[in-house]
């Protein structure tokens, strides 16, 4: 059986660290790209977390950094849940981060256009996907499925158990 190509759009935190781990090592998935969004922490911290995890997993995928804030409001981080780094609890080695040069929405557009029947998995605010579709609606023809993890349509995840 062919592995399913996916893009993982995330805001690592501990929950998304597990998603990256599973996507990276699954025999069923072909993780072809990672984009980040602000959510559990700021865009700089979530991008660094995603990059640290990918380097730790010996992946050569470059992270595409997303917007500083969601489309409709300012970002609300949750350091009380995921810590100041967004991924407190382990001290990663110092990796030299080298991010994808494209903004995340452009990375999503380019990657989806180059791959038919791709699944886009979003585990944080869906800003990158929303911007990609609004700037290039034709990408929807190549998206097989959108899998999302969502907490709320109003105030975000109210408690650690919200999802």
């Amino acid at each position: 059986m062919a592995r399913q190509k996916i893009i993982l759009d995330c805001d690592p935190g501990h929950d998304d660290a597990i998603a990256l781990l599973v996507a990276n090592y699954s025999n069923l998935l072909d993780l072809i790209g990672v984009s980040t969004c602000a959510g559990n922490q700021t865009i700089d911290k979530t991008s660094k977390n995603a990059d640290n995890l990918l380097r730790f997993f010996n992946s050569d995928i470059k992270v595409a950094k997303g917007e500083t804030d969601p489309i409709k409001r300012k970002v609300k981080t949750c350091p009380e849940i995921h810590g100041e780094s967004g991924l407190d609890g382990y001290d990663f080695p110092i990796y030299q981060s080298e991010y994808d040069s494209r903004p995340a929405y452009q990375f999503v557009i380019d990657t989806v256009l180059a791959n038919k029947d791709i699944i886009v998995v979003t585990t944080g605010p869906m800003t990158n996907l929303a911007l990609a579709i609004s700037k290039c609606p034709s990408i929807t023809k190549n998206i097989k499925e959108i899998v999302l993890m969502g907490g709320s349509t109003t105030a975000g995840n109210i408690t650690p158990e919200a999802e």
Side-chain angles (χ1 to χ4, degrees):
M1 176 180 220
R3 292 171 47 188
Q4 176 62 58
K5 291 182 180 182
I6 70 164
I7 294 172
L8 179 57
D9 184 70
C10 55
D11 64 338
H14 299 97
D15 50 353
D16 292 2
I18 299 300
L20 273 166
L21 173 76
V22 170
N24 190 69
Y25 288 108
S26 173
N27 292 328
L28 301 174
L29 303 175
D30 181 7
L31 180 62
I32 62 171
V34 173
S35 55
T36 55
C37 53
N40 285 329
Q41 257 303 343
T42 64
I43 191 63
D44 289 334
K45 290 179 181 179
T46 61
S47 298
K48 182 67 175 166
N49 291 343
D51 185 67
N52 279 344
L53 288 161
L54 290 167
R55 297 302 132 266
F56 188 77
F57 301 152
N58 294 312
S59 171
D60 59 358
I61 293 173
K62 290 184 181 178
V63 172
K65 289 175 75 171
E67 303 298 309
T68 304
D69 293 298
I71 295 171
K72 295 278 188 175
R73 63 175 170 82
K74 291 287 185 192
V75 68
K76 294 179 184 177
T77 63
C78 49
E80 64 281 359
I81 297 171
H82 296 281
E84 264 317 303
S85 72
L87 198 53
D88 283 5
Y90 179 76
D91 293 324
F92 285 94
I94 298 173
Y95 298 114
Q96 179 62 42
S97 297
E98 190 176 322
Y99 300 110
D100 191 292
S101 61
R102 297 166 287 185
Y105 74 84
Q106 190 62 54
F107 160 79
V108 171
I109 291 169
D110 295 344
T111 305
V112 169
L113 288 176
N115 294 277
K116 291 187 188 278
D117 293 328
I118 192 166
I119 294 178
V120 179
V121 179
T122 63
T123 58
M126 298 175 73
T127 308
N128 298 325
L129 182 59
L131 288 172
I133 292 172
S134 69
K135 291 178 184 296
C136 185
S138 66
I139 67 169
T140 59
K141 294 178 202 163
N142 284 11
I143 297 175
K144 177 180 179 181
E145 190 173 7
I146 296 171
V147 178
L148 64 102
M149 177 178 70
S152 168
T153 58
T154 56
N157 299 333
I158 304 302
T159 69
E161 298 82 22
E163 294 170 331

